[in-house]
Amino acid sequence: KIDPTSRCITELLPVQAGALREISMAQGLMGSIVVGAGKSFINILAILALDNCDIGLLLVPANLMRQICVQYEMLAEHFHVPKIVVHRPEADWVSESPGAPVLHVMSHNGISSPRQSDYIENIRPDVIIIDEVDAFADLTSARTIRLNRYFQEHGERTKFCAWTGSLSDQKIEEFAHLMVYALKERAPVPIPTD
């Protein structure tokens, strides 16, 4: 349930509104959004800013799973929200939103598990959204290998939105593959032609 001391959310912060506008215009986003700027709301609403997205997959650090549920309930009081299915080890948390796209939420660690090796392929998301995307910079990690495999097979039709508060601390080479997923041929990095 919602914490009764939480404030009622009736409007977005400028950074949230700006990110959603950019997502809508570019049909993807790779961004640096500082801690405390309201990334959880962007995580939830991004699927609604994209064209032709019926199924989304949101990947977040495990410690943010509960926060996503709380923030979702706060948003749902005054905003149109997607249906959400939060896949937690103890039990899935589902909230209906009739006629809206479905947003599946899983932790970074969940997608890394050998039991979940085909999870992305099984739900076939139209968009993959990642909070704290720096966890996907290592091309040799299981989670990044699974993400790369999906984009090699379905990259043309799959949109990608991702952000972190520490993007500027990294080398651009570590995020080049993620920029290409988000911005396709408009990515400001060399794109392999093979």
Side-chain angles (χ1 to χ4, degrees), residues 1-29:
K1 280 294 178 198
I2 299 171
D3 176 357
T5 62
S6 297
R7 64 185 179 90
C8 182
I9 307 299
T10 58
E11 61 185 47
L12 297 175
L13 297 172
V15 70
Q16 294 166 329
L20 292 169
R21 181 174 186 274
E22 290 299 319
I23 290 167
S24 177
M25 290 175 53
Q27 293 296 293
L29 181 70

Side-chain angles (χ1 to χ4, degrees), residues 84-162:
I84 194 166
V85 180
V86 180
H87 301 282
R88 302 179 303 180
E90 61 277 12
D92 288 352
W93 184 83
V94 180
S95 185
E96 295 291 335
S97 185
V102 178
L103 182 63
H104 294 268
V105 183
M106 181 176 268
S107 72
H108 293 175
N109 292 341
I111 208 69
S112 300
S113 164
R115 293 184 324 241
Q116 301 295 344
S117 65
D118 293 328
Y119 182 78
I120 300 175
E121 187 66 41
N122 290 340
I123 67 164
R124 290 272 175 107
D126 301 309
V127 61
I128 297 175
I129 304 162
I130 304 179
D131 192 354
E132 302 304 337
V133 73
D134 45 311
F136 289 79
D138 179 1
L139 290 167
T140 64
S141 72
R143 64 182 66 149
T144 306
I145 290 169
R146 290 190 178 115
L147 187 67
N148 283 336
R149 184 174 61 214
Y150 189 78
F151 272 94
Q152 286 172 359
E153 296 284 324
H154 308 285
E156 289 297 315
R157 62 168 280 285
T158 306
K159 296 174 173 88
F160 185 74
C161 299

Side-chain angles (χ1 to χ4, degrees), residues 12-34 37-43 45-50 129 160-164 183:
L12 297 175
L13 297 172
V15 70
Q16 294 166 329
L20 292 169
R21 181 174 186 274
E22 290 299 319
I23 290 167
S24 177
M25 290 175 53
Q27 293 296 293
L29 181 70
M30 179 69 187
S32 180
I33 303 175
V34 298
K39 289 186 298 241
S40 291
F41 287 1
I42 303 167
N43 290 340
L45 297 175
I47 190 172
L48 300 175
L50 295 160
I129 304 162
F160 185 74
C161 299
W163 30 82
T164 183
L183 302 174

